[in-house]
Amino acid sequence: MIFAANLKCNHTRASFKIYADVLNKTMGVKCDDIIVFPPSIAFLESQTNFIQGAQNFYPCINGAFTGELGKEHLDEFGIKCVLIGHSERRILGDETLIKAKFDFAKEHNYKIVFCIGEDLKTKNSGKTLEFLKSQLDIIDLNYKNLIIAYEPIYSIGTGVSADIKDISSVLEYLTTLSQAPLLYGGSVNENNIKEILSIENCGGVLVGSAALKVENFIKLIKG
Ligand code: 13P
């Protein structure tokens, strides 16, 4: 199972260092199934027992792109894993480069956690699968380092995960499109994780709020 933590705009350089120290000690050895996306200001140069991922980057090596992070900057921290398409970035209007980012990350062999998810209006109109397919149409679904994270927007940050049956049918549909591991994200917490991980075709979770405290994230990992 893959356990990924998206820390979003939380944690400072100092607090993430403590987070990572605790997680490193708990893991003991390098574990490729644990991924943490800290804010980029908090990236660690030291080796970690988890995969450190970037919440955002610009599809360039370097250049005249004010305020952006290029590959050269990720390289300095040994980062080879990126998150693309998170709904919070899409909503900010800041994820217009999704295809360019995907193609760049693929070209450079990054592990890509690609987020998709519908809002409540789309769900209620019965167009979820069609919508998710349209989000996936622009990327290479056979890319070997792809992980797809299904994160229904209406469940993110609410404390209530999507209905197990709904998650199950979406994940089943996604298996017809890609062989990539499939994660679920959206209010995963210690009360619902067991049921979510027991869904057929669920290969792990992408956790926000419930992973902000490292002790809680470890509890989720240990089950
Ligand atoms: P929450 O777990 O806080 O709902 O966030 C999920 C998420 O957006 C992970 O990327």
Side-chain angles (χ1 to χ4, degrees), residues 6 8 86 88 151 155-158 185-188 206-210:
N6 177 8
K8 307 189 180 184
H86 194 283
E88 285 158 7
E151 297 205 307
S155 74
I156 293 177
T158 60
S187 295
V188 174
L206 177 54
V207 190
S209 326

Side-chain angles (χ1 to χ4, degrees), residues 164-200:
I164 295 292
K165 280 202 209 86
D166 290 339
I167 303 172
S168 178
S169 60
V170 166
L171 297 189
E172 192 181 342
Y173 171 69
L174 294 178
T175 62
T176 67
L177 302 178
S178 174
Q179 292 187 355
L182 303 174
L183 310 185
Y184 168 79
S187 295
V188 174
N189 58 44
E190 63 178 310
N191 300 320
N192 59 26
I193 190 166
K194 210 167 162 207
E195 199 178 11
I196 289 167
L197 290 179
S198 69
I199 296 173
E200 208 185 340

